[in-house]
């Protein structure tokens, strides 16, 4: 059951996060994102290339590639939510560990994308087994590429997409409306926000198979699209225009086959 919205303490309500704390938290988010990007730029452990003989070690490597890629792409767009949670959760009862709820919230957010990454690895395995993707993990089939584009574009226009995006674009509303006390509450709130974020962006992440999972320019482009959709004032309309564009692109590809 949801707990009522917290009543900030006199100190937390009047002061909020100090400037140094905000800088520290933003620096931590930026550092984690940069380390994940560095891993991707270094090849994400893919020097061995695509393999036909999947084993547990290779599946684990693919999972780490997907998960760290998701963190690199999604953590910057989650920064406003993490900052808002940190501001609201800055309360005296956390004692000597005031940052622990924020750590748990962020880790739970990443766990939600870990679940998505498991599904992505399974999809990658199936596409490789069907010879539908190249060693760069890019679709080699025009019908598959067109179908993914059309599906992603149409999803952008659905009520489910709009609902998930609304939660992602409204940090204060999410934090106050779904507040849960304690460390367990911070963990659950992080999972919930992560679930909304996955629901908002999972079809956009499927576009990685169109442009190439290992194509760093394609990854960066999708990251900017997600960031714009979540943060710019006209983000919802931007997302709908993106959906129409993706659908048209997909139809054009399908028309050629």
């Amino acid at each position: 059951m949801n707990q009522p919205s917290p009543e900030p303490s006199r100190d937390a309500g009047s002061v909020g996060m100090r400037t140094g704390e905000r800088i520290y938290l933003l620096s931590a988010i930026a550092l984690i994102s940069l380390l994940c990007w560095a891993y991707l730029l270094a090849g994400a452990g893919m020097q061995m290339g695509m393999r036909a003989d999947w084993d547990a070690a290779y599946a684990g490597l693919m999972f780490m590639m997907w998960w760290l890629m998701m963190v690199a792409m999604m953590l910057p767009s989650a920064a406003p939510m993490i900052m808002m949670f940190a501001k609201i959760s800055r309360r005296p009862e956390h004692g000597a560990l005031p940052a622990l709820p924020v750590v748990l919230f962020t880790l739970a957010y990443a766990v939600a994308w870990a679940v998505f990454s498991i599904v992505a690895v399974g999809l990658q395995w199936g596409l490789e087994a069907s010879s539908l993707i190249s060693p760069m993990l890019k679709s080699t089939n025009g019908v598959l590429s067109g179908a993914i584009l059309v599906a992603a574009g149409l999803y952008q226009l659905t009520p489910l997409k709009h609902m998930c995006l609304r939660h992602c674009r409204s940090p204060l509303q999410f934090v106050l409306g779904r507040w849960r006390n304690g460390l367990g509450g911070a963990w659950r709130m992080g999972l919930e926000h992560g679930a909304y974020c996955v629901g908002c962006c999972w079809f956009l992440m499927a576009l990685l198979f169109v442009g190439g999972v290992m194509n760093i320019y394609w990854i960066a482009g999708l990251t900017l699209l997600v960031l714009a959709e979540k943060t710019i004032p006209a983000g919802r309309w931007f997302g709908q225009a993106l959906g129409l564009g993706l659908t048209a692109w997909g139809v054009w590809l399908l028309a050629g086959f």
Side-chain angles (χ1 to χ4, degrees), residues 37-47 65 214:
W37 277 105
Y39 179 74
L40 296 177
L41 289 170
M46 287 289 290
Q47 291 82 359
M65 178 196 74
M214 297 306 297

Side-chain angles (χ1 to χ4, degrees), residues 3-246:
Q3 298 292 333
S5 299
E7 289 295 334
S9 67
R10 183 180 300 275
D11 176 66
S14 60
V15 179
M17 291 181 68
R18 298 184 179 92
T19 300
E21 292 172 331
R22 289 195 295 270
I23 294 174
Y24 178 83
L25 181 54
L26 285 173
S27 297
I29 293 172
L31 178 60
I32 294 171
S33 300
L34 288 173
L35 288 174
C36 292
W37 277 105
Y39 179 74
L40 296 177
L41 289 170
M46 287 289 290
Q47 291 82 359
M48 65 184 71
M50 191 173 71
R51 287 171 45 177
D53 56 331
W54 278 59
D55 55 21
Y58 186 69
L61 175 64
M62 293 301 96
F63 167 75
M64 289 304 300
M65 178 196 74
W66 275 99
W67 191 23
L68 294 180
M69 186 190 308
M70 293 303 100
V71 173
M73 296 176 71
M74 303 308 302
L75 193 58
S77 69
M81 185 70 73
I82 296 171
M83 296 294 292
M84 181 59 67
F85 176 82
K87 181 178 180 179
I88 300 294
S89 67
R90 186 179 179 272
R91 297 170 63 81
E93 57 264 32
H94 297 141
L97 297 172
L100 186 55
V102 183
V103 172
L104 290 175
F105 180 91
T106 306
L107 181 59
Y109 174 82
V111 166
W113 280 105
V115 175
F116 169 86
S117 299
I118 293 173
V119 176
V121 170
L123 181 58
Q124 178 188 333
W125 173 81
L127 292 173
E128 287 189 17
S130 303
S131 300
L132 291 174
I133 55 177
S134 70
M136 289 295 288
L137 308 184
K138 176 181 179 180
S139 170
T140 57
N141 185 287
V143 173
L144 174 63
S145 297
I148 293 175
L149 286 164
V150 169
L154 293 178
Y155 182 72
Q156 289 287 113
L157 309 177
T158 63
L160 178 59
K161 164 71 181 193
H162 295 162
M163 184 267 290
C164 292
L165 180 60
R166 183 174 65 252
H167 283 287
C168 292
R169 286 180 53 84
S170 305
L172 181 60
Q173 180 181 346
F174 174 85
V175 171
L176 294 180
R178 294 183 172 272
W179 183 264
R180 291 178 174 84
N181 291 321
L183 299 180
W187 178 264
R188 185 169 176 180
M189 288 176 67
L191 285 177
E192 288 184 358
H193 176 55
Y196 280 121
C197 193
V198 172
C200 178
C201 301
W202 70 284
F203 244 128
L204 290 178
M205 296 303 102
L207 294 175
L208 288 165
F209 288 113
V210 176
V213 176
M214 297 306 297
N215 183 339
I216 200 68
Y217 300 106
W218 188 253
I219 297 171
L222 288 176
T223 301
L224 293 175
L225 290 178
V226 169
L227 187 62
E229 187 177 50
K230 287 187 177 184
T231 59
I232 67 174
R236 178 180 176 181
W237 305 112
F238 174 82
Q240 291 182 332
L242 176 63
L244 293 174
L246 291 173

